[in-house]
Structures are given as structure tokens and as C-alpha cells.
Amino acid sequence: MTALLTMKNLRGGYGDSDILFDLSIEVAKGEIVAIVGPNGAGKSTAMKSIFGLLDIRAGSIAIGETDITGWAPNRIVKAGICYVPQVKNIFSEMTVHENFEMGAFLRKGDYSAALDRVYNLFPDLRTKQKATAGRLSGGQRQMVAMGRALMLDPQVLLLDEPTAGLSPKYMEQIFQISRDVRDSGVAILLVEQHAKQALAFADRGYVLAAGRNRHEGPASELLADRHIAEMFLGG
Amino acid sequence: MEWITVLNYPVYLAIFICIYGCLAIGLNIQWGYAGLFNAGVAGFFAIGAYASAILTSPWAEGRLGGFDLPFPVGLVGAMLLAGLLAWPIGKICLRFRSDYLAIVTIGVAEGIRLVARSEEWLTNSARGISAIPRPFGDLPYAKAQLVYLGITALILLVAYVLVQRQAVSPWGRMMRAIRDNESAAQAMGKDVPYRRLEAFILGSALMGLAGALYVHLARTITPDAIDPMLITFLVWIMVILGGAGNNRGVLLGAIIVWVIWSTSEIVTDQLPSEYALKAKYGRMFLIGLLLQLVLRFRPEGILPEKLRKESREERPMGEQASATQATGNIIN
Amino acid sequence: MDMHSFINFFLLPGIVQGSIYALGAIGITLVFAIMRYGHFAHGDLATFGAFIALAFTTVLGLSPYAALPLAVLATGVFAVALDRLFYAHLRAMPKIITTIASFGVALMLRSFVQVVWGVNTTSYTRGITRPENWFGIRVKSHEIVTLLVAIALVVALHLFLTRNKWGKAMRAMSDNPELALFSGVDNGKVIALTWIIAGGLCAASGFFLGLNTELKSLMGWNILLPTFAAAILGGVGRIEGAIVGGLIVGIAEELSVLVIPGEYKVMSAFGILLLVLLFRPTGLFRGKVL
């Protein structure tokens, strides 16, 4: 298995203080990788580091063979990584359709095929194209957020707590759509607070604590490990 | 020529430095310690000037006063009135980011100029107020100037010592904490709006005091004597160039900027008259440019605030993280 | 007061003045929305635009109306240059630092105008234009042009922001700057575009102010307060708000002379500003509050 996204021995943080100390994560094409861990472990920070949102002091980030450490966000997007932040992940004053158009901002020429695919993934949104995104329900907003990120046909999709605050019904739906996206050949890296549910649906997982890798392996094994369950997954 | 007259110009220069020093310390309290953008410095200066003029000048037909009160009463009155004016403005604006305060204070300064111009019963309109007394004003000119320099320097020194003592006290630390991280300060139970209002009023009172010192030097005041944009701007550049948050720095800024500003006038006055007027505007252009250069190459000023570390940097993306860091809690 | 004199002496002048404020307020609101700071050189940039138009009329011998588009374009490009020279490097600092820098730019622009064109008042055309009389409503031709051009500019801007890819990118940047970056929008280009539009509209507002009144070096500084009041009244970041806000401020100024002495007419914008900040800081159209 060759890794598509590689984060190697990352150390970094904001200002003077470090949050990540020695973090290494790999994601391959066609797999879902979940990052779980207690509050303050640096899960979201790990994801933000890819987009150059914190000062990286050591280590590297690469997509394929290309080192992208410290690149500007728009170059990283062009390199094929799309990011769905946990909060403020839609253009709330713009319509659903305009959100998707912004997702396709870097595409040249006709993108109706990509648009069609996104509407197929999220059929609920087809009737809401002209609706202002900020007025939708929480689950639908999360769909708009994912749809926007998928408009560029990314190689890697980063999802920061995609199910936070969603009802079980929407949570299941988001997970199902993520699987569909994975099956179309996209690598997905997600951070999850609901560790058990996330590991239950991911292919592989990383357990972080205090900015370091603590455990990693196939998601099912992590889930089955009593020790990990007690320490990190809430028993 | 007596030795003392040789000193006339430097003394005159020094008096103005003291007056601007007061303004700069006032603005330093507002901007340097509390992060408040007062773009109407000249307005508070004018209020102080008129207040002291009305209180201390002899009775005159057709306008309020004068009350012929002693000089110190004029100074206190100037500070009180300027502080009193600052109170409602601060009440309304300090809830918002400083941009709103800036535009409102510009409006205040304009309003004060309009009142000075239009209200004959109060300010005697365009003819202004004259015969304003000066302490020891009966002495020969050169001596009177020297004595007045002593008075302004003493007042500036007192203001400096008092403000400096506050600045290094817990009050000063708290003000900086509020400026640098409002939410964290609020979380620690600081009454942020009240503290800001305090700084705004105190700074404005000092600006009023400077206005009073000016008016007793000039002994006359008209609406056009106070160019709102120019005064406000000179004080701002003094504070930024000297080093916002450092009282010694802003005083140094006052000296440098005022010396440049008034000696350049000597140079441009030598020009033929058709160029002299243009040269005045050219000088203003250069002062504007000086601000840009300072902001670009030395934004912390010549004497930077010692306690200020990385707080001036803003991280649009990492805001939440740095905020939680500062409160020392969860970092995720 | 009968209907005709209300329209002739209050409503019409108010609308004309209001559209001048609106043109400036749109730029202020755009800068607020996309770069997140108050731009205090906006009034003096309008002065600059007005005098650039004057230069086109005197040097090239163009008619004022022919000079307008050139001045709009020139001021737009000039605004981009101002940003590159004086604001761009301050982007990583707290936004208020840029506001301070803009205050300095205001002084520089004004001094520049004073050095080049002097401090005396001047005008684009000599002589007095007689108002035309339509069913008792007296309106001057340049007032009609002001309104028509203002409407055309607003419609063009609206179409740009809702139909064009880069227009949408501007709205996206205003709505959620981080997500716009994650979508691959180059914020340097959006900022340059914002300055072209804001600077161009600013020149138009200065031009029409000069056309309807007169040109002088302080003309722009004098409309800074009403223009900001219009932007905040409408709701920061709301273009429709800036237009409505501009019209309200313009009309309120004209009507104010019925209740306050004429000398204080210019303070009515200040009064409106204080009322908005006190009672509805988000403005009429629920804008951002900074």
C-alpha cells in the first residue's frame, strides 16, 4: 500500500507553544482513516497543520511524492487536498448552488458533471439549490460543506468532526456518503469525537494523546483492544 | 541682545513639546494601554482650550463668562469638561471594535469645531476669545515664556509620573491584558467595558489639559486656530513613532516629531511666498509618509513597550487556538 | 409645505446627495467586508478622484462626462497601488493598524491635492445650469446624470457580484474568508479587485460631489462621516444597505434644517451614526458588527 498523504514526525503549534510533538500519519488511496483521542490530544490541530494553519517546526507533509510543507492554502487545494472544517464550513450567506460553484472555483471549463455527481451524493440538496445555505438544517449544512469540498474531485478529503452535533440519522448518512466517496477512489482522513462510531466505519485509525501517536492500526483491531477502549474510547 | 532672548525660539519650541507631550501621554493611555482608537484628539484639545478660556478670561459682553477665575481652575475645568465629554462617547462606542470609536471621535471633533464656530453666546464665534490670562504674564516676554515653560514642564512631569505609576501597577497590567486578549481578560472576571471607559476618560482629560496649556500660551483662541486633522495626526505619529505603550517613548516621539515639524517650517518660510503655502502642504504629506514608514519598518516604535511580546501578531486562522491557550485550557 | 417644494427643496437634493454618499459607502462596506477594517482615506480618495477628473478636463480638454470613466478607472488602479504600498504589508497585524495607516494616507492624499491643485474652490464647468421644469418639479441636468450613473454603477456591481466567478469569490471572501482560501481563492486577487471597485466608486462619488457642488481639497474629508454613517446604518458588508443608508443620510441631512440650525446640517449624519450604534449596531440589513 503506498501512501497518498504522508505526515512525518510533525512538531508544531501556535506562537511559542507546541501542540504536536511527534506525529506521523499516512493515508492511502481508497481508505478512510480516523484520528481519535481525548480532548486536547491535537486531533484537529493535526488536520490544520496540513493547511499550514500552524507553525510547523519539524517534520514534513507530502502528497504523493510532492512535499507540501508550508504551502499556501490555494496551492494545497490545487495539489488535490480539500478540507471541511468543523465549524464555519459553508458560505452561509450564499445559496447552496453558489457554495458548490465556489467549491469548483479552481476548475477550468465546464463542471456540470462534478455538480451532478455531488447532487447525486446528496439528493436532498437538489431541491434546495437556490436556498441560502445558512438557513438549512445542521445535517444539510454538513452536506453542503462536504459537497463543496468534493467539487474539485480531490485526491484527499479532510473531514474535521463531520458528525459533531448531528442526529444519529444524519450521522449514519454522512458516514454512508463518506464510504461512497472512498469507493470512488478518494482518500479520506477524518477527526472524530465519537471515537467508537468512527472506528466502526473507518478502515484504519490513529489514537493520539498529547500531540503524539499512541496507537495505530486497522480500525477493527483498535476497536477490539480492551486497553485502548478503556483508556481512550470511554470504556 | 540679552542672553535670554536668544533662547526665545528654543523655549517656545519646548513649551509646545510639553503641550504635545501631554497630548501624547493622553493618547498613550487610550491607544497604548487600552487599544482605543481616538481620531478626535483635536476635539478634546479644543474643549479644554475653550473651557479654560471661558473660565479664566475677564468678563466680556455677549458671551458666556469670562469668569476671571485663576489659572489652576481653568486647568481643572478643562480636564473635567473633556473627561465629561468622553464619558457618553465611550459609553456608546467602546462596546465595538475601535473603528467605530474612530469614526465617532472624528464626528465629535467636527461637532466641537462647528459649535466653536456657530455659538456666539458661548465661544464668540469666529472672533474667538481673547485676553486670556497667563500666569506671570506681566513679566517681560522672554522671562514670561521661560516661566511658562517651567509651568508646562512641571505639569507634564506630574502627568508623566502619575501615569507611569499607574502603568507599572496592577492597573496597567490589567489594561494591557484587556488590550491583548479581551476574551481572556473577561474570562478572568475583569470588567472590560468599565476599564476601557476609564482609560478613555482619563486620556481625554489629559488632552483637555493640553488644550488649556495651549490657550494660556496663545492667550487667544479662535475656531480656526485648531486644525483638527493636523493636531490629531501629529499626536498619533508621536505615539506610534515613539513607541505606543511606553510613556518615555511617546515623550521622545513628541520631541522628535515637534522638532521636525517646526524646524521644517523655518526652512519652508525661506521660500518665495508662492511656494511657501504649497510647502506647508508638502510638509503635511511628509508627516503622513513618516507614519507609513514607521508602520512598515518599525511598527513597535523607537522605544517599544517592554512587556509587549508577540501579542501584536494576529493569526486569523488560529484565533480559537490562541485564545484557549491563553486561558490555559483545552487545546484542540 | 406643499408637495412640489418638498420634492424640489428637500427630497430631490437629498436623493442626489444620498447617491453620492451611497457610492462611497459601497466602497467602505466592501473594504469592511473583505479586509475587515475601516478605511479612513475613503473621503480623501474621493477628492483625489474628483481632481483627477478635473485634470482630464483641463489637460486633455475632455468634457466632464467623458473624464468620469477615465477618472473612475485611474482611481481604481490608484487604490490598488495604495493598498500595495501602504496596507498590504500590514495584513498580518491587527486590523486597526491598517485603519491608522489609512488615516495617514488620508492626510497624504489631501496634501497631494493641495500641493498640486491648491486650496481654492474650483468647478468642472463655469456658469449656472438652469433647472428644467417638469410639472413643477425642478431638476438640473447634472442631477439627473448623477442619479442615472449611480443607478447604472449599482446595477453593474450587482450583476458582477451575482453572476461573475470573481464577484462570487468576493462575496465568498466576505462571507467566510478561511473557507474561501480552502476553496482555492487567491485572496490577493480578491483584494485587488475590491480596491478597483471601491476606488472607482469613490472617484464617481467625488466627481458627482464636485459636479453638484464644487471642488475643493476638503470636499472628501467632509463627506467621510456621512459616508461611514451610511455604511454602518445599512449594515456593514451589505451593499444594498450602503445604498439605502446613503439615501437615508442624504435625505435626513436636507430635512434636518427644518428642526436644527443650518450650520449643524452636517451633524445629522453623526446623530444617525450614534442612534444606529445605540439601538441597532447591525444596521438596517443585519450587517457584521466589528
Side-chain angles (χ1 to χ4, degrees):
Chain A
M1 185 180 69
T2 53
L4 188 54
L5 176 72
T6 319
M7 301 160 76
K8 211 187 261 171
N9 304 109
L10 277 188
R11 190 164 68 78
Y14 302 107
D16 291 334
S17 53
D18 285 352
I19 297 169
L20 305 178
F21 294 94
D22 184 10
L23 185 78
S24 300
I25 289 173
E26 289 187 349
V27 191
K29 189 169 158 43
E31 70 168 350
I32 296 177
V33 171
I35 305 178
V36 297
N39 267 342
K43 302 188 299 286
S44 291
T45 313
M47 198 163 265
K48 284 181 183 147
S49 70
I50 300 171
F51 263 83
L53 302 185
L54 75 164
D55 304 328
I56 295 172
R57 283 181 260 277
S60 65
I61 303 166
I63 179 156
E65 299 293 305
T66 321
D67 189 329
I68 59 164
T69 321
W71 281 21
N74 64 335
R75 280 182 78 197
I76 293 172
V77 177
K78 274 184 202 159
I81 304 180
C82 284
Y83 173 42
V84 182
Q86 183 191 346
V87 290
K88 295 213 279 179
N89 52 18
I90 55 167
F91 297 109
S92 55
E93 291 166 10
M94 300 173 84
T95 65
V96 171
H97 189 76
E98 283 173 334
N99 266 271
F100 293 157
E101 284 181 310
M102 283 314 297
F105 186 79
L106 287 174
R107 289 188 88 115
K108 301 226 167 11
D110 182 44
Y111 51 81
S112 52
L115 201 57
D116 213 44
R117 208 178 50 242
V118 167
Y119 281 126
N120 284 340
L121 275 175
F122 308 102
D124 293 9
L125 297 178
R126 210 179 265 282
T127 54
K128 307 239 175 210
Q129 293 187 29
K130 292 257 186 285
T132 306
R135 301 235 172 96
L136 300 177
S137 72
Q140 287 171 332
R141 285 206 299 267
Q142 189 60 38
M143 292 176 180
V144 173
M146 285 179 70
R148 181 206 59 83
L150 288 169
M151 283 298 295
L152 274 184
D153 290 332
Q155 299 186 63
V156 182
L157 183 63
L158 308 177
L159 303 175
D160 194 349
E161 304 215 14
T163 64
L166 295 189
S167 68
K169 178 192 136 213
Y170 271 125
M171 198 160 137
E172 194 38 57
Q173 210 172 341
I174 296 287
F175 282 156
Q176 184 52 49
I177 290 163
S178 303
R179 278 188 210 111
D180 294 347
V181 171
R182 169 196 62 190
D183 295 341
S184 70
V186 176
I188 297 181
L189 178 64
L190 82 156
V191 163
E192 260 301 339
Q193 203 70 257
H194 307 287
K196 277 187 192 168
Q197 287 91 330
L199 288 177
F201 110 100
D203 299 306
R204 285 194 310 116
Y206 288 83
V207 182
L208 301 195
R212 290 180 173 84
N213 293 45
R214 189 57 71 85
H215 301 281
E216 57 183 273
S220 52
E221 285 177 23
L222 292 177
L223 205 53
D225 188 315
R226 288 187 66 88
H227 172 70
I228 294 174
E230 269 170 30
M231 291 292 288
F232 301 109
L233 309 183
Chain B
M1 194 165 68
E2 215 183 333
W3 63 272
I4 203 164
T5 54
V6 183
L7 285 175
N8 269 348
Y9 185 72
V11 168
Y12 187 68
L13 201 69
I15 295 175
F16 266 99
I17 288 172
C18 291
I19 292 171
Y20 271 94
C22 263
L23 285 167
I25 287 185
L27 184 61
N28 194 35
I29 295 174
Q30 296 179 340
W31 169 247
Y33 296 138
L36 306 176
F37 189 160
N38 180 353
V41 176
F44 297 97
F45 180 84
I47 277 281
Y50 271 102
S52 197
I54 291 168
L55 287 171
T56 60
S57 61
W59 186 84
E61 188 95 39
R63 68 165 170 88
L64 185 68
F67 296 103
D68 216 357
L69 291 165
F71 171 70
V73 178
L75 298 190
V76 172
M79 292 180 74
L80 282 178
L81 204 64
L84 207 62
L85 177 74
W87 183 71
I89 297 163
K91 264 290 192 214
I92 295 176
C93 301
L94 296 184
R95 291 177 290 156
F96 308 111
R97 217 179 66 170
S98 236
D99 304 64
Y100 292 109
L101 179 65
I103 188 69
V104 168
T105 45
I106 286 178
V108 169
E110 283 300 309
I112 289 167
R113 212 163 55 98
L114 277 179
V115 169
R117 230 180 232 172
S118 335
E119 300 304 319
E120 193 158 358
W121 63 274
L122 183 67
T123 63
N124 206 18
S125 313
R127 273 164 296 150
I129 298 174
S130 50
I132 299 160
R134 185 206 285 190
F136 306 101
D138 301 333
L139 292 173
Y141 177 77
K143 273 192 193 135
Q145 292 284 94
L146 209 54
V147 172
Y148 198 68
L149 172 61
I151 293 172
T152 49
L154 188 69
I155 289 172
L156 175 63
L157 185 72
V158 170
Y160 168 79
V161 169
L162 290 179
V163 172
Q164 186 62 25
R165 264 187 28 198
Q166 283 294 306
V168 296
S169 73
W171 183 88
R173 279 199 297 279
M174 178 180 63
M175 291 312 293
R176 281 186 285 260
I178 291 173
R179 176 198 64 195
D180 293 340
N181 197 331
E182 188 185 331
S183 42
Q186 204 136 31
M188 288 187 282
K190 310 285 184 213
D191 187 350
V192 174
Y194 178 78
R195 294 298 165 190
R196 280 192 171 155
L197 189 60
E198 205 173 60
F200 188 61
I201 291 175
L202 194 59
S204 302
L206 273 179
M207 293 167 187
L209 176 68
L213 291 176
Y214 164 78
V215 88
H216 291 281
L217 173 73
R219 310 186 76 159
T220 160
I221 178 99
T222 60
D224 293 324
I226 294 166
D227 180 335
M229 182 89 165
L230 182 63
I231 293 181
T232 302
F233 198 80
L234 283 174
V235 180
W236 266 99
I237 176 94
M238 286 165 183
V239 169
I240 303 228
L241 175 75
N246 181 335
N247 283 315
R248 228 171 298 170
V250 302
L251 287 183
L252 179 67
I255 295 170
I256 295 174
V257 173
W258 189 255
V259 168
I260 295 176
W261 178 251
S262 41
T263 50
S264 67
E265 189 172 18
I266 302 177
V267 177
T268 55
D269 279 353
Q270 309 300 315
L271 293 167
S273 60
E274 67 259 43
Y275 296 112
L277 188 66
K278 293 209 164 185
K280 181 189 162 202
Y281 302 116
R283 283 163 64 217
M284 285 174 73
F285 181 90
L286 291 178
I287 285 282
L289 188 63
L290 179 62
L291 177 77
Q292 309 301 340
L293 295 175
V294 173
L295 286 178
R296 172 140 211 176
F297 297 108
R298 202 170 167 86
E300 72 279 17
I302 300 174
L303 294 177
E305 177 185 346
K306 289 188 194 87
L307 299 160
R308 190 180 308 224
K309 283 192 298 180
E310 282 209 350
S311 53
R312 290 264 112 178
E313 264 177 67
E314 195 179 51
R315 282 163 208 286
M317 308 292 177
E319 262 163 13
Q320 299 149 303
S322 44
T324 42
Q325 255 181 332
T327 44
N329 298 333
I330 313 151
I331 340 155
N332 201 4
Chain C
M1 180 166 53
D2 68 291
M3 197 61 187
H4 279 145
S5 47
F6 173 75
I7 293 174
N8 288 335
F9 298 118
F10 297 102
L11 192 60
L12 208 65
I15 291 174
V16 171
Q17 191 68 16
S19 17
I20 291 167
Y21 295 154
L23 290 173
I26 292 171
I28 283 176
T29 224
L30 277 175
V31 173
F32 252 133
I34 289 172
M35 283 157 272
R36 306 286 200 268
Y37 54 77
H39 184 236
F40 280 27
H42 222 71
D44 291 285
L45 189 60
T47 312
F48 179 84
F51 276 91
I52 287 295
L54 181 72
F56 282 125
T57 64
T58 52
V59 177
L60 300 181
L62 296 173
S63 78
Y65 293 132
L68 171 65
L70 292 176
V72 165
L73 198 67
T75 312
V77 173
F78 182 74
V80 177
L82 280 183
D83 175 62
R84 291 279 150 88
L85 275 172
F86 301 121
Y87 306 146
H89 54 93
L90 301 174
R91 244 164 244 157
M93 300 230 249
K95 300 298 173 203
I96 194 73
I97 303 287
T98 315
T99 303
I100 293 175
S102 76
F103 198 40
V105 168
L107 190 77
M108 290 164 75
L109 284 174
R110 180 203 292 189
S111 314
F112 178 79
V113 168
Q114 286 167 333
V115 168
V116 176
W117 287 282
V119 289
N120 296 328
T121 57
T122 175
S123 60
Y124 292 118
T125 47
R126 276 173 224 289
I128 306 159
T129 14
R130 290 197 167 279
E132 325 227 348
N133 195 325
W134 288 342
F135 311 107
I137 294 170
R138 287 137 56 94
V139 56
K140 293 175 182 157
S141 62
H142 55 72
E143 292 176 328
I144 296 174
V145 174
T146 305
L147 294 179
L148 290 179
V149 173
I151 291 169
L153 287 172
V154 165
V155 170
L157 178 64
H158 177 78
L159 290 176
F160 176 72
L161 290 175
T162 51
R163 305 284 164 86
N164 180 281
K165 178 176 170 171
W166 282 98
K168 285 177 194 167
M170 278 178 67
R171 282 167 56 215
M173 198 58 112
S174 153
D175 188 334
N176 189 338
E178 289 161 38
L179 198 62
L181 291 180
F182 300 148
S183 306
V185 176
D186 177 349
N187 64 341
K189 280 189 188 149
V190 169
I191 288 172
L193 195 58
T194 307
W195 277 116
I196 288 195
I197 295 172
L201 293 175
C202 202
S205 85
F207 173 83
F208 287 119
L209 185 65
L211 193 68
N212 286 283
T213 58
E214 56 197 3
L215 288 123
K216 58 178 183 223
S217 59
L218 286 178
M219 61 193 276
W221 176 254
N222 292 337
I223 63 163
L224 185 68
L225 188 63
T227 311
F228 258 93
I232 294 171
L233 170 63
V236 165
R238 301 278 174 214
I239 288 169
E240 67 277 28
I243 298 161
V244 174
L247 291 174
I248 292 176
V249 171
I251 294 168
E253 269 188 1
E254 295 304 324
L255 288 176
S256 72
V257 296
L258 298 175
V259 283
I260 56 173
E263 306 93 273
Y264 293 106
K265 183 176 161 185
V266 295
M267 292 312 284
S268 35
F270 181 67
I272 291 174
L273 181 63
L274 287 184
L275 290 177
V276 174
L277 291 182
L278 264 175
F279 298 111
R280 200 183 163 93
T282 53
L284 297 173
F285 287 76
R286 294 224 166 271
K288 302 176 182 22
V289 176
L290 300 173

